Amino acid sequence: MLKIAITGGIASGKSLVLDFFKKKGMQTLSLDETVHKIYENDEFKNKLIEIFNTDKRNEIAKIVFKDIKKLELLENLIYPFILDEMLFFFKGKDIVFVEAPMLYKSGFDKYFDKIIFVVADEITKIERLKKYRNMGEEEAKLRIMAQSLNNNSKKKSDFIIRNNGKIEQLEKQCEDIFLRL
């Protein structure tokens, strides 16, 4: 079995890379989508209410992106749920591509054979967050800062995709990686 992670900062284009491999007929999993499902889990909801006095994702986001300790608390709460879903997804498959935003921070990198790191410059990411997620500039900067990745992340990756340009440039880089795998 070959397990490939796709990681990078917020608004770098990880989902577009995942979609490319999905269109190629590969088995794919988005851990962002997995998180949405986890927020519907009653056990998880109860823990959120206990810790944050709410189980509403947007309210929790406002809390954790202003307080690093609370963000870490949320991450420590959700990572075991994500890991269970991811390991279940792996079962019985030959090759998988998984979009994993916090791959290194969560320690999930040890479950993968190859890692694709997607990067975009900060100006591009801010513009994407404003356009596609209706964030103000300050909120976008807060999210980027809160989810900033350690510089060693790129060094630990097998492939790097630079996504500051057009979709055709992104797809060309994905195709090159696909042929190398």
Side-chain angles (χ1 to χ4, degrees), residues 16-32:
L16 291 172
V17 173
L18 187 73
D19 286 345
F20 173 87
F21 292 110
K22 188 174 192 171
K23 288 176 189 168
K24 288 284 190 184
M26 300 291 104
Q27 297 285 323
T28 61
L29 174 68
S30 165
L31 294 187
D32 275 344

Side-chain angles (χ1 to χ4, degrees), residues 1-172:
M1 172 178 210
L2 182 61
K3 299 177 295 277
I4 300 118
I6 301 164
T7 195
I10 188 170
S12 60
K14 298 176 299 296
S15 296
L16 291 172
V17 173
L18 187 73
D19 286 345
F20 173 87
F21 292 110
K22 188 174 192 171
K23 288 176 189 168
K24 288 284 190 184
M26 300 291 104
Q27 297 285 323
T28 61
L29 174 68
S30 165
L31 294 187
D32 275 344
E33 290 175 14
T34 300
V35 167
H36 289 285
K37 282 196 278 186
I38 291 168
Y39 267 82
E40 298 305 313
N41 176 300
D42 287 336
E43 178 188 352
F44 186 71
K45 280 181 170 188
N46 291 336
K47 288 182 180 186
L48 289 174
I49 292 168
E50 187 179 306
I51 295 168
F52 299 104
N53 294 321
T54 183
D55 64 353
K56 303 291 180 261
R57 206 168 167 191
N58 60 341
E59 291 176 25
I60 292 170
K62 288 176 186 174
I63 295 167
V64 301
F65 288 115
K66 291 180 182 173
D67 184 337
I68 194 76
K69 293 287 184 206
K70 290 189 175 154
L71 177 60
E72 289 172 359
L73 190 63
L74 177 62
E75 290 169 344
N76 290 333
L77 178 64
I78 202 165
Y79 288 159
F81 286 90
I82 296 170
L83 182 59
D84 286 347
E85 293 288 328
M86 186 177 75
L87 294 176
F88 182 77
F89 172 76
F90 287 166
K91 290 181 181 177
K93 296 178 177 70
D94 294 327
I95 181 169
V96 295
F97 288 81
V98 177
E99 176 189 10
M102 303 303 282
L103 181 73
Y104 295 106
K105 191 172 183 183
S106 65
F108 293 168
D109 55 307
K110 66 185 171 202
Y111 296 97
F112 291 91
D113 304 303
K114 298 287 181 189
I115 297 170
I116 300 170
F117 193 87
V118 186
V119 296
D121 62 49
E122 187 169 333
I123 293 168
T124 301
K125 292 193 288 189
I126 290 170
E127 289 307 311
R128 288 175 182 160
L129 289 170
K130 287 165 61 176
K131 182 176 181 180
Y132 298 113
R133 297 198 191 171
N134 297 317
M135 287 185 193
E137 189 151 338
E138 285 307 308
E139 184 182 1
K141 286 180 180 178
L142 272 174
R143 292 280 180 108
I144 291 168
M145 230 175 15
Q147 296 182 13
S148 66
L149 299 161
N150 162 335
N151 286 336
N152 289 328
S153 300
K154 275 195 244 180
K155 293 177 188 169
K156 295 180 195 174
S157 301
D158 300 287
F159 305 100
I160 296 174
I161 292 178
R162 296 185 191 327
N163 185 26
N164 294 316
K166 298 181 178 181
I167 190 76
E168 295 82 15
Q169 294 168 319
L170 176 72
E171 288 176 347
K172 166 89 173 76

